[in-house]
Amino acid sequence: MALEFVNGNHNDAEQPGEEPARGQKPNPEKEEKALEEQNPDLFQISVKLPHKPYQIQVTVSTQEQVQDLRNSIVEFPNTFQYSCFHLEYNGSRVNDFVELSEVKELVPGAEMQLVEDPYTEKEARMHMIRVRDLIGAAGDRVDTLHGISAGLSLHDSVVPPEMFNPPLQNGKRSVTTSTEDPHALSDYDFNAPASIQTILPQTKDSPPKTVKSICVSAWNPPPHYLRQKGHLLYLQLTTNEGEQFQITSHISGFFVNKSSNSKFDPYPRPQPKSASAHSLLALIEKLSLSFQTSFSSLQEYNNRKDPLANFQITNTIPANPWLVPAAESSLLAHQSDLTRTQETYLMSGIENAETLRDWNEEFQSTRELPKETIQDRVFRERITSKLFADYTDAAARGAVMVARGEVAPLNPTENRDAQIFVYNNVFFSYGADGVGTFTSEGGDDAARVAVGKDVTGIRVVNQLDIDGLFTPGTVVVDYLGKRLVGQSIVPGIFKQREPGENQIDYGGVEGRDVVAENEVFVPVFSKLSKHLRVKKHDVWDKEGKKHTLEGSVETKGLLGTDGRKYVLDLYRLSPLDITWIEEYWSDVSSTDVKPLETNYPHRMTILRPELIETYWRSKMGEFVKAELERRRNSANGAENVDSKNPADTNGNAESKVIINGDTQGHDETGLTTTGEKAESTGEKVETNGLQERVDISDFNLAFNPDVFCGQAPQTDEEKEELVRDEKEVRSICDFLRQNVISELVHDLREGEVGFPMDGHSLARLLHKRGINIRYLGKLATLAKEQSSRLEALNALSVQEMIARSFKHIANHYMKGLPAVFISSCLAHLLNCLLGADFNQAPKAYLDEELQAYYTNADWSFRDVDVQTLRAKVQAEVHLRYRYTLDQDWADNLKHIQLLREIALKLGLQITAKDYRFSASSMPPTNASTNGGTNGVNYHTNGVSSRKKKKNGDHELASQSSESLSLSSSTTFSPDDIVNIIPVVKNACPKSILAEEALEAGKMSMMQNQKEIGQELLLESLSLHEQIYGVLHPEVARMYHQLSMLYYQLDEKIAAVELARKAVYVSERTLGVDSNETILSYLNLGLFEHGNGNTKIALIYMKHALELWKIIYGSRHPDSITTINNAAVMLQTLKHYHDSRIWFETSLAICEEVSGRQSVNTATLCFQLAQALALDQEAKAAVNCMRDAYSIFLSKLGPDDRNTKESESWLEQLTQNAVSIAKHAKDVQARKLRRVQFTPGISLGTRPQPQVGQSSTGTALGGDPRELNRIDSRSVDELLRFIEGGGETSKRSPAKKRSSRGNPKRRGGLLGNAV
């Protein structure tokens, strides 16, 4: 199966990891043979059925469980009816939970038998739910956790289905390339405002109706005497013909009974009106003549979309769009469905006990599963991923109920912040300082941060997977201004201890006053501290007694009553950022107290684990370099060893260090990190083919996380040790400010990494580098001081600070409000921030009748006005980020982008309509373009205004919402806040096994071991899909990475299929407008172009650009790459004028970002000159090429290849221009063919790197020497190419493939014309 995909036989039904079509009926012998040749673990078996079609063929793997085979069977269209059955082989029942390889005598081609089982009440209920979903009888569900349009995918509405109808020719879809044909980018307006219609689903036809209704009957549940006879449920069915049937669910199946709405008689009807079947689906088919036809139509309707767009998301929380259709839209029509109220009963039973799970026991039992073999690890990680998903779902639902006041507290006499709750076996508490634990650290603000750090710390520990150390399931939920923590109940945590016993067995019991020690925790805490670079150190309790701990005093160990060792309170795994504290924080008891309004809100300024690791690697690199240098100096004439590690991308590593011979991952210095097996013993150093032993036992770098936390050493030796620990912490704080942040700014300025698009991608980039969000202000300041390229970084950082500050302000006002008034509060605050230009004095709307019911609520948000809110935002930005906003900051807001950031941070779902943000603004219309002015006036023909293309239903909805907006006195109304969803953080670890396979595959590719590398990459893909399920963010990222690798390997068909899957999964799990979704669309467009489907590619490019406008706006630094790619695609279609306009726009943005005299600008001038020549603008082409030559000459010198080739092109273009001038009349009459030039081959396209990903090389490597080359072909060769003569240049293969290299600079974008 996997090899078929690689070789281009990419039938969607045969993709690895896709469930829907794992079996095919035709020619089993031929398929068996092919499968065995490709993968010995795959084979086919037959399954004999009791009903039509009586037999099916299923492709299975020896590593799968019988349960996986069952799941495959019930998904086949011909076997939908089966749900309660077991499988038999050779007359013996097969256990559902064993692997197929363990089934005795099971061989390829074997025949298993499906045997229908008697129903239980639970199975009957599950069968009822399944049938309702299958036949489309389930109405819309209102979910407390999943918002409106959760898991939405727009891909199938972006590209019209008819675009995929042309037949395949040589593996490619045939497309026309006539210059007369329109294309997706015709008259595209770069400066038009963002259209919210881009992220809204299109109105779709209603699905065919198979039955009028099917629900649980009013006679349900069966009385006791009928339960004794096997009656399970009573159902009521109304067919499309209008007939009503009362149905009995019996242990033997389903039958029509003699009951009516007024008479109870649940026994079978007599002949000829009797009807029965083992499956409810088969029974309905017997009762309704139109059912089979309508059910087939429903299946065809569902199959219009890709299966990935329809599959239910089970292993992660689906993405919830922040903009949703208006409440009156047909997309949100609320349907009448009686069974919707019965679904809780159908899923959980009468006692509602089936959903209660012992979460803690499940977590710890899963952790104790064996992990010796690959199969063990796959099973263990798969169960772990599913368990975390289930727990996150349950905890988030419970947190929502707690926040809305629907769960009674266990301690109702305490104040609200100190109250605790238990719901669905999950323990809930508020992320606030309810009992005064964090009084000296910052109170509620410190408690809120500690809770967030705790879930991060638990995720780190879960990822380390240390044997014998256990963590509780933990989820943090932000909802309605409140932060709640949901934890699995650790056995013994509520146990009443004997007098004199501590509640905690290891670490601080009551803050730092009482410290407990227990030897049983030392081994596991020692392993944990080793991985986290935590030093074994001394702490002192309130009586001055010394205790030696392996971790922070705040990290606690609890010996559960189940005998397991639990680690709790992992919010301080690393030291404090003492530099920040000393600058911006002072203790209340301090004599030098800073003013409260300028004091940082809390003292929990903890350094990130990523920074600790980066600093450790840096120091390790220095140690290794020093050791090698010492050896060189003592070699007395020995041959010098080349210190450059060829695998090091930055060229600053002396060697590759292999710990215990196990290489796992390389960092900037070429050092490797290992997992639990890493020991500080002898180290093996490989240097330029030579091997040396470097003993790093003397290298010992670890940090004391309890320095600067009030520790009081008693002896001089202890004081000296503490001073040394403090010095090391100060050193890493300086490293953060002077090295890490500066390097990030440098990398972004030079285009070394992908540029962030929105607040989320910016935060991920900072965290990946080990930079805390509190340094946003410093980042914005540095960006402001740097070149114009970083203006975008400054604007993005400022926007993120404003959005986060608004979040804190809104949370403050929402915290004390009843849920019913939250939308009024948010609408008013948004009006004060974003709608001030439209209404300078907005008034909060409150329902006074409802208000009277809540006498203790906090209504202070009503007193907020525009000036008050702006002052609060300014103060909050300065307080939290130490950045002073410009005086006119409120006048320079990007309204749509800022609204999106706020909505995502608060979990808002807002009505999609044209909001009026200023009094002079009208609903956005299509503005005329400026033709992509580039500052050099090369463009002479102008561009017409963009065509107004809107879906009819969208236009009506837009007009309707527009009229509502115009009639309102404010920008936002409470009705615009349609829904609020919880924002969830969990502690789920990543799959170590899948990541190992991915890294091994990349490494093999870099070593030119293509076949092994592809096998490992496909193995990694299979592991990702098995462990996470297909619909998961990690799988989306895997698809994205793998598609880029296949594209670079020239496996273009495979690249397209994987890129399309990346789009589907990204949209549904990350968001239809997430930055990763945009990158997936851009690369899908690029790969479609490379596969010959340029028209489809342009549609994807346009959609990505429209999404880009929504999340950032226009003229993003990285959009230079995208616009250039689009220009090249237009040239492929021979739309030379449009292509030239896109090149001009790319040049204009490059001039803003890199400056007029940069090499990047010269590169784009070179490309634009070629485009102008193709567009019959000879004079402008000469001027543009002259500018390119001048810049190359001044920046690179006369001997550089770019300078020489641009000079050659300038001469040829000049000659051409002179020739044209001499034959002007003939040219105008089109009697003389003009010499034409094309950059069609030289201007290759390349994938867009992910945010924060290095662009200096690809996963397969890239030759930097190829980056600054331009087209070396002659005019005659280009002329022959444009006339259809093909590529005649005799360039070396390296030059032909140079377009696949990733350029170092973002402006020098596409191929070797840099």
Side-chain angles (χ1 to χ4, degrees):
M1 184 183 301
L3 292 179
E4 285 183 5
F5 176 73
V6 175
N7 293 332
N9 300 325
H10 62 292
N11 188 339
D12 287 342
E14 299 179 358
Q15 291 305 314
E18 277 197 17
E19 292 285 345
R22 296 171 50 203
Q24 299 293 335
K25 198 169 180 179
N27 203 340
E29 292 184 3
K30 183 177 179 181
E31 292 190 4
E32 249 177 63
K33 187 176 180 180
L35 287 171
E36 288 178 3
E37 291 176 355
Q38 295 165 14
N39 192 330
D41 292 334
L42 294 177
F43 61 95
Q44 282 194 338
I45 61 172
S46 301
V47 178
K48 189 176 180 180
L49 307 174
H51 308 291
K52 289 184 179 180
Y54 299 114
Q55 190 174 23
I56 59 171
Q57 302 289 330
V58 185
T59 302
V60 296
S61 168
T62 55
Q63 299 176 4
E64 291 180 336
Q65 291 186 346
V66 176
Q67 189 175 15
D68 298 323
L69 174 59
R70 284 177 53 99
N71 294 336
S72 298
I73 292 173
V74 300
E75 293 299 328
F76 291 152
N78 291 328
T79 52
F80 277 156
Q81 60 179 309
Y82 301 107
S83 68
C84 184
F85 63 91
H86 71 268
L87 294 172
E88 292 185 356
Y89 183 61
N90 289 339
S92 300
R93 180 167 183 158
V94 182
N95 190 314
D96 289 344
F97 299 98
V98 301
E99 290 188 358
L100 289 171
S101 59
E102 299 175 15
V103 178
K104 189 176 181 180
E105 299 180 358
L106 183 67
V107 295
E111 182 179 272
M112 302 185 78
Q113 186 170 4
L114 185 150
V115 180
E116 294 174 333
D117 283 337
Y119 286 94
T120 63
E121 185 200 344
K122 178 180 179 180
E123 287 169 334
R125 288 188 276 107
M126 294 300 104
H127 186 77
M128 166 68 169
I129 294 174
R130 171 176 164 76
V131 169
R132 273 171 44 83
D133 288 336
L134 279 174
I135 67 177
D140 60 306
R141 292 185 172 98
V142 180
D143 198 294
T144 57
L145 178 60
H146 303 156
I148 301 167
S149 300
L152 174 67
S153 173
L154 298 177
H155 175 274
D156 290 343
S157 61
V158 171
V159 179
E162 57 268 18
M163 294 291 291
F164 294 98
N165 287 337
L168 291 174
Q169 296 181 0
N170 298 324
K172 300 180 181 181
R173 286 183 288 269
S174 59
V175 293
T176 58
T177 58
S178 171
T179 57
E180 302 298 326
D181 293 340
H183 56 83
L185 301 181
S186 297
D187 300 331
Y188 183 81
D189 188 351
F190 294 97
N191 297 321
S195 172
I196 60 175
Q197 306 295 337
T198 305
I199 58 175
L200 292 182
Q202 291 185 353
T203 304
K204 54 186 178 182
D205 300 332
S206 299
K209 203 165 184 64
T210 56
V211 297
K212 286 189 175 179
S213 70
I214 180 170
C215 60
V216 178
S217 169
W219 299 113
N220 197 67
H224 294 290
Y225 72 95
L226 289 174
R227 282 181 176 274
Q228 298 293 94
K229 296 184 178 183
H231 289 211
L232 304 174
L233 300 173
Y234 297 132
L235 310 176
Q236 180 175 301
L237 168 71
T238 304
T239 66
N240 282 344
E241 292 82 4
E243 292 186 82
Q244 187 179 93
F245 297 92
Q246 298 283 341
I247 297 174
T248 296
S249 172
H250 191 263
I251 58 173
S252 62
F254 297 83
F255 61 81
V256 178
N257 62 40
K258 295 185 287 187
S259 297
S260 66
N261 289 334
S262 58
K263 176 187 174 183
F264 180 61
D265 188 357
Y267 294 100
R269 281 186 180 183
Q271 294 287 353
K273 295 185 178 181
S274 64
S276 63
H278 187 268
S279 169
L280 180 59
L281 190 68
L283 179 62
I284 296 174
E285 185 176 348
K286 292 180 179 180
L287 298 177
S288 174
L289 296 176
S290 64
F291 175 78
Q292 184 60 47
T293 302
S294 58
F295 184 55
S296 298
S297 300
L298 177 64
Q299 288 178 275
E300 293 176 3
Y301 175 87
N302 292 334
N303 289 336
R304 293 179 190 174
K305 283 192 170 186
D306 189 280
L308 287 176
N310 290 326
F311 283 165
Q312 184 178 359
I313 301 175
T314 57
N315 276 22
T316 187
I317 296 177
N320 294 281
W322 64 279
L323 275 181
V324 294
E328 61 272 12
S329 168
S330 60
L331 293 169
L332 301 184
H334 195 50
Q335 305 166 2
S336 174
D337 182 16
L338 179 62
T339 313
R340 184 168 47 223
T341 62
Q342 304 167 343
E343 281 192 341
T344 301
Y345 156 70
L346 287 172
M347 289 186 289
S348 307
I350 297 176
E351 306 297 332
N352 196 28
E354 293 175 9
T355 57
L356 294 179
R357 299 165 62 176
D358 187 342
W359 295 109
N360 190 76
E361 183 59 30
E362 288 192 46
F363 273 118
Q364 315 319 334
S365 298
T366 301
R367 185 177 291 275
E368 291 172 335
L369 288 173
K371 51 182 177 179
E372 281 74 25
T373 67
I374 295 295
Q375 289 79 9
D376 289 341
R377 294 179 65 186
V378 171
F379 179 74
R380 183 175 182 267
E381 292 188 356
R382 182 179 180 180
I383 295 297
T384 299
S385 177
K386 178 61 177 172
L387 178 58
F388 270 98
D390 291 346
Y391 177 75
T392 300
D393 185 274
R397 293 180 188 278
V400 168
M401 296 188 68
V402 170
R404 299 181 73 90
E406 298 175 14
V407 180
L410 298 180
N411 52 344
T413 58
E414 301 285 345
N415 68 75
R416 197 200 66 172
D417 288 344
Q419 289 177 348
I420 56 176
F421 310 81
V422 173
Y423 181 79
N424 199 4
N425 279 346
V426 180
F427 173 73
F428 293 98
S429 60
Y430 286 105
D433 192 24
V435 294
T437 304
F438 296 95
T439 302
S440 62
E441 306 286 334
D444 287 346
D445 281 299
R448 184 183 181 90
V449 173
V451 164
K453 295 291 185 183
D454 184 39
V455 74
T456 302
I458 292 175
R459 187 188 305 118
V460 170
V461 175
N462 289 340
Q463 192 69 49
L464 293 173
D465 196 15
I466 298 172
D467 290 337
L469 188 62
F470 299 89
T471 59
T474 305
V475 167
V476 172
V477 180
D478 293 325
Y479 184 65
L480 302 184
K482 308 173 184 69
R483 171 162 285 190
L484 290 113
V485 191
Q487 292 185 307
S488 61
I489 303 174
V490 176
I493 196 168
F494 296 124
K495 178 184 176 183
Q496 292 295 326
R497 301 288 181 114
E498 296 295 328
E501 285 187 337
N502 294 320
Q503 198 71 22
I504 295 297
D505 296 296
Y506 191 79
V509 180
E510 300 173 3
R512 294 181 292 270
D513 293 341
V514 179
V515 180
E517 292 184 80
N518 191 326
E519 289 300 320
V520 300
F521 282 92
V522 172
V524 290
F525 269 59
S526 176
K527 292 180 181 179
L528 176 62
S529 298
K530 185 177 183 61
H531 289 298
L532 299 176
R533 320 295 183 197
V534 173
K535 178 181 179 181
K536 184 176 182 179
H537 60 282
D538 299 329
V539 296
W540 294 264
D541 58 23
K542 63 180 180 180
E543 297 177 354
K545 182 180 178 181
K546 184 174 74 172
H547 304 268
T548 302
L549 298 179
E550 293 287 347
S552 169
V553 68
E554 303 290 353
T555 303
K556 301 171 177 59
L558 174 67
L559 191 61
T561 55
D562 56 0
R564 298 186 177 107
K565 295 181 279 291
Y566 293 89
V567 58
L568 309 173
D569 292 350
L570 291 161
Y571 54 82
R572 186 169 288 175
L573 295 180
S574 51
L576 296 175
D577 186 352
I578 187 59
T579 306
W580 184 277
I581 291 176
E582 289 177 343
E583 286 187 25
Y584 307 120
W585 162 268
S586 61
D587 196 354
V588 177
S589 60
S590 173
T591 56
D592 182 24
V593 178
K594 296 182 178 66
L596 184 61
E597 62 273 9
T598 61
N599 212 25
Y600 194 65
H602 58 83
R603 199 175 184 272
M604 301 294 292
T605 57
I606 300 170
L607 298 173
R608 294 192 63 84
E610 298 90 341
L611 176 67
I612 303 294
E613 194 65 22
T614 300
Y615 183 76
W616 187 89
R617 290 173 176 176
S618 174
K619 292 297 182 182
M620 168 66 88
E622 293 177 6
F623 176 84
V624 172
K625 291 177 184 178
E627 179 66 17
L628 291 176
E629 185 65 27
R630 184 187 64 78
R631 292 188 180 186
R632 290 193 192 96
N633 294 336
S634 61
N636 294 327
E639 182 180 355
N640 289 331
V641 179
D642 184 3
S643 64
K644 184 176 180 64
N645 182 359
D648 175 37
T649 57
N650 292 335
N652 58 2
E654 296 285 351
S655 60
K656 181 172 70 174
V657 177
I658 305 176
I659 301 180
N660 289 342
D662 181 18
T663 303
Q664 287 197 353
H666 297 266
D667 68 296
E668 294 84 355
T669 63
L671 301 175
T672 61
T673 60
T674 65
E676 191 172 334
K677 296 181 181 179
E679 300 292 342
S680 296
T681 58
E683 300 300 328
K684 178 181 177 182
V685 179
E686 180 180 341
T687 311
N688 197 26
L690 302 177
Q691 293 187 355
E692 303 179 38
R693 302 290 299 183
V694 176
D695 182 11
I696 66 164
S697 58
D698 293 334
F699 178 77
N700 183 21
L701 177 62
F703 300 92
N704 180 350
D706 291 320
V707 295
F708 306 111
C709 294
Q711 294 299 324
Q714 304 298 310
T715 67
D716 292 340
E717 183 180 353
E718 293 170 351
K719 292 178 181 178
E720 290 174 1
E721 181 69 18
L722 187 62
V723 169
R724 285 194 295 270
D725 292 344
E726 291 177 347
K727 182 179 179 181
E728 198 64 65
V729 170
R730 291 187 184 277
S731 177
I732 192 174
C733 293
D734 294 339
F735 178 76
L736 169 62
R737 294 193 171 200
Q738 298 171 11
N739 294 74
V740 178
I741 297 177
S742 301
E743 287 175 5
L744 174 61
V745 172
H746 172 271
D747 290 346
L748 290 171
R749 183 183 68 245
E750 298 300 320
E752 300 286 350
V753 296
F755 209 92
M757 299 182 187
D758 60 353
H760 177 71
S761 57
L762 176 61
R764 286 193 67 188
L765 176 59
L766 293 180
H767 289 166
K768 185 177 180 181
R769 295 290 185 106
I771 304 172
N772 302 87
I773 291 295
R774 60 179 172 270
Y775 282 99
L776 271 175
K778 183 173 181 60
L779 191 68
T781 302
L782 289 175
K784 198 172 184 179
E785 297 170 352
Q786 298 290 329
S787 64
S788 57
R789 174 177 175 80
L790 295 182
E791 288 180 4
L793 178 61
N794 173 261
L796 195 57
S797 300
V798 169
Q799 178 176 282
E800 181 69 2
M801 288 188 285
I802 293 173
R804 287 176 176 268
S805 298
F806 182 87
K807 178 191 72 173
H808 289 293
I809 295 169
N811 283 337
H812 169 74
Y813 288 114
M814 288 192 295
K815 189 175 181 181
L817 277 178
V820 70
F821 294 103
I822 295 295
S823 58
S824 297
C825 172
L826 289 170
H828 179 63
L829 295 178
L830 288 172
N831 282 325
C832 292
L833 179 68
L834 298 174
D837 292 341
F838 178 67
N839 185 339
Q840 287 284 345
K843 299 295 183 183
Y845 170 79
L846 282 176
D847 188 325
E848 294 183 357
E849 293 183 3
L850 291 179
Q851 186 179 353
Y853 286 97
Y854 301 94
T855 56
N856 297 325
D858 180 8
W859 309 106
S860 57
F861 77 91
R862 294 178 303 176
D863 302 326
V864 177
D865 56 24
V866 173
Q867 298 305 320
T868 303
L869 183 65
R870 288 181 177 177
K872 286 180 176 292
V873 170
Q874 282 181 282
E876 199 76 15
V877 168
H878 184 266
L879 183 68
R880 293 184 181 274
Y881 309 106
R882 300 297 149 173
Y883 184 82
T884 302
L885 295 173
D886 295 336
Q887 291 295 325
D888 59 347
W889 67 270
D891 300 326
N892 297 320
L893 298 177
K894 294 180 179 179
H895 295 93
I896 289 293
Q897 289 74 28
L898 182 56
L899 177 61
R900 174 181 178 272
E901 295 291 348
I902 291 171
L904 293 177
K905 287 173 173 55
L906 291 174
L908 310 183
Q909 290 192 297
I910 304 173
T911 300
K913 65 181 185 181
D914 295 320
Y915 292 100
R916 298 189 65 186
F917 295 108
S918 66
S920 59
S921 68
M922 293 299 292
T925 58
N926 294 323
S928 61
T929 73
N930 61 1
T933 304
N934 56 25
V936 197
N937 295 323
Y938 297 132
H939 179 218
T940 58
N941 293 338
V943 186
S944 61
S945 62
R946 183 175 57 170
K947 295 180 181 179
K948 300 177 181 179
K949 298 180 181 179
K950 289 188 178 180
N951 178 274
D953 291 333
H954 282 175
E955 187 171 359
L956 292 175
S958 176
Q959 291 172 354
S960 174
S961 59
E962 172 190 331
S963 63
L964 290 173
S965 178
L966 291 174
S967 64
S968 175
S969 60
T970 56
T971 303
F972 299 93
S973 69
D975 291 340
D976 293 329
I977 313 298
V978 182
N979 187 32
I980 302 177
I981 54 177
V983 179
V984 183
K985 300 177 183 178
N986 62 37
C988 182
K990 290 184 179 181
S991 167
I992 300 175
L993 187 60
E995 293 296 324
E996 286 175 355
L998 176 60
E999 292 304 318
K1002 288 182 178 180
M1003 187 65 64
S1004 297
M1005 289 295 188
M1006 293 176 65
Q1007 296 170 355
N1008 292 325
Q1009 298 174 348
K1010 181 178 178 181
E1011 186 174 342
I1012 297 176
Q1014 285 183 327
E1015 290 180 3
L1016 287 169
L1017 290 172
L1018 285 174
E1019 181 66 22
S1020 176
L1021 173 61
S1022 176
L1023 289 171
H1024 273 83
E1025 292 174 333
Q1026 288 182 57
I1027 292 168
Y1028 295 113
V1030 177
L1031 294 173
H1032 193 278
E1034 291 302 321
V1035 178
R1037 295 176 182 122
M1038 180 63 194
Y1039 284 145
H1040 182 84
Q1041 292 184 59
L1042 201 54
S1043 68
M1044 295 178 68
L1045 287 169
Y1046 272 100
Y1047 184 75
Q1048 292 157 12
L1049 292 171
D1050 210 24
E1051 297 278 358
K1052 294 180 180 178
I1053 296 177
V1056 167
E1057 295 301 325
L1058 287 166
R1060 186 174 291 112
K1061 288 184 178 183
V1063 167
Y1064 278 118
V1065 182
S1066 295
E1067 284 186 323
R1068 302 197 63 198
T1069 61
L1070 297 169
V1072 292
D1073 61 347
S1074 75
N1075 68 291
E1076 293 180 68
T1077 299
I1078 293 176
L1079 292 174
S1080 296
Y1081 265 113
L1082 290 174
N1083 281 346
L1084 177 56
L1086 173 63
F1087 302 159
E1088 283 282 14
H1089 166 69
N1091 208 29
N1093 308 312
T1094 304
K1095 284 200 167 184
I1096 294 176
L1098 291 176
I1099 297 175
Y1100 289 133
M1101 301 294 281
K1102 179 180 180 181
H1103 183 70
L1105 287 169
E1106 290 298 316
L1107 292 177
W1108 216 329
K1109 284 184 178 180
I1110 289 176
I1111 75 169
Y1112 174 83
S1114 58
R1115 311 180 88 78
H1116 186 274
D1118 278 2
S1119 66
I1120 303 171
T1121 302
T1122 301
I1123 295 172
N1124 246 4
N1125 284 348
V1128 173
M1129 294 177 190
L1130 289 169
Q1131 280 190 345
T1132 303
L1133 296 178
K1134 300 183 181 180
H1135 290 284
Y1136 299 125
H1137 180 70
D1138 290 344
S1139 173
R1140 161 264 191 95
I1141 293 171
W1142 284 71
F1143 276 124
E1144 288 174 339
T1145 305
S1146 177
L1147 176 59
I1149 300 174
C1150 186
E1151 287 177 349
E1152 294 176 3
V1153 170
S1154 301
R1156 183 71 186 89
Q1157 296 299 315
S1158 68
V1159 175
N1160 294 337
T1161 301
T1163 300
L1164 294 178
C1165 284
F1166 181 92
Q1167 297 172 347
L1168 177 58
Q1170 294 178 321
L1172 288 166
L1174 286 171
D1175 198 28
Q1176 314 300 329
E1177 294 286 347
K1179 184 177 179 180
V1182 171
N1183 294 335
C1184 193
M1185 188 59 72
R1186 183 179 293 114
D1187 287 343
Y1189 170 70
S1190 300
I1191 299 173
F1192 281 139
L1193 181 63
S1194 63
K1195 295 292 183 181
L1196 303 178
D1199 297 328
D1200 186 83
R1201 178 172 179 175
N1202 288 338
T1203 307
K1204 291 180 179 179
E1205 293 188 358
S1206 59
E1207 182 180 19
S1208 174
W1209 271 88
L1210 178 59
E1211 292 175 359
Q1212 297 178 64
L1213 289 173
T1214 303
Q1215 293 173 5
N1216 181 55
V1218 172
S1219 176
I1220 291 172
K1222 291 180 179 179
H1223 302 85
K1225 292 183 180 181
D1226 291 335
V1227 171
Q1228 291 175 1
R1230 291 294 187 261
K1231 293 179 180 178
L1232 179 64
R1233 186 182 183 89
R1234 295 180 65 180
V1235 178
Q1236 300 186 31
F1237 308 95
T1238 177
I1241 297 299
S1242 64
L1243 296 183
T1245 55
R1246 71 172 182 85
Q1248 190 94 20
Q1250 291 178 291
V1251 174
Q1253 175 186 342
S1254 174
S1255 59
T1256 58
T1258 68
L1260 304 183
D1263 187 355
R1265 295 172 297 179
E1266 295 293 327
L1267 301 178
N1268 287 330
R1269 294 185 181 177
I1270 53 182
D1271 203 313
S1272 60
R1273 292 171 296 175
S1274 67
V1275 175
D1276 292 337
E1277 289 172 330
L1278 289 169
L1279 178 59
R1280 284 195 295 272
F1281 174 80
I1282 199 64
E1283 290 176 342
E1287 176 62 73
T1288 60
S1289 173
K1290 297 182 180 180
R1291 293 180 296 167
S1292 66
K1295 295 177 184 176
K1296 292 182 181 179
R1297 294 178 59 87
S1298 62
S1299 63
R1300 294 183 186 171
N1302 276 345
K1304 186 173 181 180
R1305 293 178 177 270
R1306 311 292 300 155
L1309 301 160
L1310 306 170
N1312 54 2
V1314 182

